C-alpha cells in the first residue's frame, strides 16, 4: 500500500498497474492492487491494468513500450 498511498498523497487517483503477462506472481500482485485501491477509496482502475511481455528476450523493451502506449490511449497535452 506504500506506493499507492504515496501517489494518492501527491494527488494521483488513476494509477496504472503493469505486470508480466504470464508471471507466477501476477495474480497475487493484482489482488493486492485491488485491495489497496479499495482501502484508499480509489475508483476501479481495471482499464489501467497492463500485461507486458516477459522481461528479457530480444525486442522486449519495444514490445513493452508498445503495449503501454496502445493501452493508455491518447495523452493530454502537457507543455514542455
Amino acid at each position: 500500500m506504500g506506493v499507492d498511498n504515496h501517489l494518492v498523497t501527491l494527488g494521483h487517483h488513476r494509477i496504472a498497474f503493469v505486470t508480466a503477462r504470464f508471471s507466477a506472481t501476477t495474480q497475487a500482485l493484482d489482488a493486492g492492487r485491488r485491495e489497496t485501491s479499495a482501502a484508499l477509496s480509489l475508483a476501479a482502475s481495471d482499464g489501467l491494468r497492463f500485461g507486458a511481455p516477459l522481461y528479457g528476450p530480444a525486442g522486449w523493451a519495444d514490445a513493452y513500450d508498445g503495449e503501454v502506449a496502445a493501452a493508455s490511449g491518447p495523452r493530454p497535452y502537457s507543455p514542455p
Side-chain angles (χ1 to χ4, degrees):
M1 180 149 74
V3 171
D4 285 345
N5 190 40
H6 172 73
L7 293 172
V8 169
T9 62
L10 293 174
H12 299 281
H13 299 284
R14 297 183 68 223
I15 301 168
F17 180 72
V18 181
T19 59
R21 284 189 193 124
F22 305 109
S23 170
T25 60
T26 296
Q27 286 184 328
L29 290 169
D30 191 41
R33 173 197 63 93
R34 285 184 271 115
E35 182 180 316
T36 298
S37 293
L40 294 172
S41 300
L42 297 174
S45 60
D46 289 335
L48 295 174
R49 184 181 183 284
F50 307 112
L54 288 175
Y55 177 78
W60 174 84
D62 290 334
Y64 176 87
D65 290 344
E67 281 289 322
V68 173
S72 58
R75 299 220 180 257
Y77 173 75
S78 42

